[in-house]
Amino acid sequence: MGKVIRLIMLLVFVACGSTKVRETPSNTVDGPEGLKARVASVASDATNGNKAINPETNGNTTRLKADFSDEVRIGGIMNFLASDALKGRDSGSEGIAKAADFIETIFKQNRIAPYFVTYRDTLSNFSKPAYNVVGVLEGNDSKLKHEFIVIGAHYDHIGIISPVNGDTIANGANDNASGTTVVLELARYFGNARTNKRSLIFALFSAEEKGLLGSNHLAKKLKAQNLDLYAMLNFEMVGVPLVGKDYFMYVTGYEMSNLAEISNQYTNEKLIGFLPTAKEFNLFKRSDNYPFHEAFGVPSQTYCTFDFTNFDQYHKVGDEVSLMDFGHMATVVNKTIPVLSGIINATTREIKYK
């Protein structure tokens, strides 16, 4: 009964949390000075509702990382993002605008500042009004904070498609409400822990399904700003577990860098393994990591648990939230936290292309 009550409370939060966050007049200047002001404003925001999870006040950081996310929290987010009300989150649609409202609210609640003048950055390469949702968490080290890591996922899907048994909504639960949910949980963790030495950009991309347009737009825009990007870490289709593997996740471009080795070192287990079909189908070039690889030439890779055998509803109306494994997704978050914490706070740039 306790879990049921918690789920109801989370769904109420979701419904109430879909109101667009509006920036204050003081946050209307773009560029470095505007970003500095926005970071300062959000960092001092007293509306944060998750102070209890701050490891500086919790006193048990190890347990916090292991148990930070859970299936109830994951379910609350997923049941909103993959609901029929959002009609498949097609880029430029009313449904994806509701998802953007929700993402902004979570960023604001967890003291993630807008990277640009607002959280929404309108795409320059798509005909309909569409936007990435981009937040930033400044690092706390005087030198390392000038280095950035992008943590991303696409939050769009393909919208309304041909009916199957009367259902026309391609909800996109695994693709990619799952990755979006993981990024939002990571933003919640780091936004409250505030232990990151390097600066973090949390980016939820639109128009991935149109040809990686959202990530292409952002990568080129950040490159034009001469952003010092260390790495781009992307999350795609992590809603169901791998089956019959001796590892928990894989990364695209496995053989291109030492990201798998570093990830496994920080978890002291075989968290990341090699999926031959990921190389066969060249998944490295098929998700939002790739535009950052092209623009910056830095390690840019995707974490994933979809292997073409464990989920058969790709781009179908059957990609429903009822098929998702919330416990598995919470484990993705909890196992990834020490990996990201290690990478973010390492004294050197330890992830390298081979």
Side-chain angles (χ1 to χ4, degrees):
M1 180 63 71
K3 284 193 173 182
V4 173
I5 293 173
R6 288 175 65 199
L7 178 57
I8 292 172
M9 291 176 67
L10 275 168
L11 293 176
V12 169
F13 158 78
V14 166
C16 296
S18 60
T19 302
K20 184 177 179 181
V21 174
R22 300 187 182 278
E23 295 308 308
T24 59
S26 62
N27 291 339
T28 57
V29 179
D30 209 350
E33 290 304 315
L35 175 58
K36 183 177 179 180
R38 292 191 294 278
V39 168
S41 175
V42 174
S44 64
D45 196 328
T47 62
N48 169 41
N50 295 299
K51 291 179 181 178
I53 68 169
N54 190 333
E56 294 179 0
T57 59
N58 183 279
N60 192 341
T61 304
T62 301
R63 184 177 185 279
L64 170 66
K65 291 178 180 179
D67 302 342
F68 172 74
S69 191
D70 60 45
E71 61 187 48
V72 177
R73 174 79 188 188
I74 294 289
I77 299 173
M78 286 290 292
N79 274 294
F80 177 76
L81 290 176
S83 67
D84 283 354
L86 271 60
K87 300 186 183 301
R89 306 185 311 279
D90 195 10
S91 296
S93 71
E94 181 180 344
I96 198 171
K98 293 178 181 178
D101 290 344
F102 177 65
I103 293 166
E104 290 180 9
T105 300
I106 290 183
F107 279 176
K108 185 70 173 179
Q109 288 177 334
N110 293 287
R111 299 184 293 170
I112 305 297
Y115 182 83
F116 298 107
V117 173
T118 68
Y119 290 102
R120 301 189 187 198
D121 181 41
T122 302
L123 271 57
S124 59
N125 53 4
F126 189 61
S127 57
K128 295 181 180 179
Y131 28 80
N132 299 323
V133 185
V134 188
V136 63
L137 179 62
E138 186 178 35
N140 58 26
D141 184 273
S142 60
K143 293 183 178 180
L144 292 179
K145 71 178 182 180
H146 300 294
E147 299 179 9
F148 287 78
I149 294 175
V150 172
I151 300 172
H154 74 90
Y155 74 110
D156 68 306
H157 196 49
I158 58 175
I160 306 299
I161 61 175
S162 299
V164 177
N165 297 324
D167 186 2
T168 62
I169 300 175
N171 299 77
N174 200 19
D175 184 19
N176 188 34
S178 65
T180 298
T181 298
V182 167
V183 170
L184 291 178
E185 282 290 81
L186 293 172
R188 182 169 71 95
Y189 175 81
F190 287 105
N192 289 279
R194 311 191 82 78
T195 54
N196 54 299
K197 293 182 179 180
R198 289 180 173 86
S199 294
L200 306 178
I201 293 175
F202 296 96
L204 284 308
F205 305 108
S206 187
E208 187 269 357
E209 301 289 0
K210 310 299 183 183
L212 309 182
L213 297 185
S215 50
N216 263 294
H217 166 87
L218 183 62
K220 291 177 180 177
K221 192 166 184 176
L222 296 179
K223 182 65 175 179
Q225 291 184 342
N226 293 316
L227 184 87
D228 187 3
L229 183 65
Y230 166 24
M232 191 281 177
L233 303 175
N234 191 53
F235 292 85
E236 174 92 40
M237 296 186 73
V238 290
V240 295
L242 295 168
V243 178
K245 306 292 192 295
D246 65 349
Y247 51 89
F248 182 72
M249 286 191 290
Y250 66 90
V251 291
T252 61
Y254 176 94
E255 71 284 0
M256 295 175 61
S257 82
N258 62 343
L259 177 59
E261 177 185 347
I262 295 297
S263 298
N264 293 342
Q265 286 177 358
Y266 279 122
T267 55
N268 197 30
E269 64 176 286
K270 195 171 182 181
L271 180 72
I272 306 299
F274 173 65
L275 181 71
T277 49
K279 182 176 182 180
E280 178 184 351
F281 290 102
N282 203 7
L283 297 190
F284 177 74
K285 293 185 177 181
R286 293 175 58 182
S287 194
D288 292 303
N289 59 286
Y290 188 63
F292 291 87
H293 164 77
E294 285 193 305
F296 288 92
V298 301
S300 306
Q301 294 170 262
T302 294
Y303 290 95
C304 185
T305 63
F306 166 70
D307 69 354
F308 300 91
T309 68
N310 62 345
F311 187 75
D312 61 1
Q313 298 299 317
Y314 174 72
H315 280 195
K316 298 178 181 179
V317 296
D319 188 359
E320 299 271 8
V321 71
S322 59
L323 299 182
M324 299 298 98
D325 187 331
F326 298 156
H328 162 73
M329 291 177 61
T331 303
V332 170
V333 174
N334 295 333
K335 285 182 178 292
T336 303
I337 285 172
V339 173
L340 295 186
S341 296
I343 293 170
I344 291 163
N345 295 321
T347 56
T348 61
R349 297 192 184 199
E350 55 191 356
I351 306 173
K352 300 180 185 296
Y353 275 148
K354 296 177 181 178

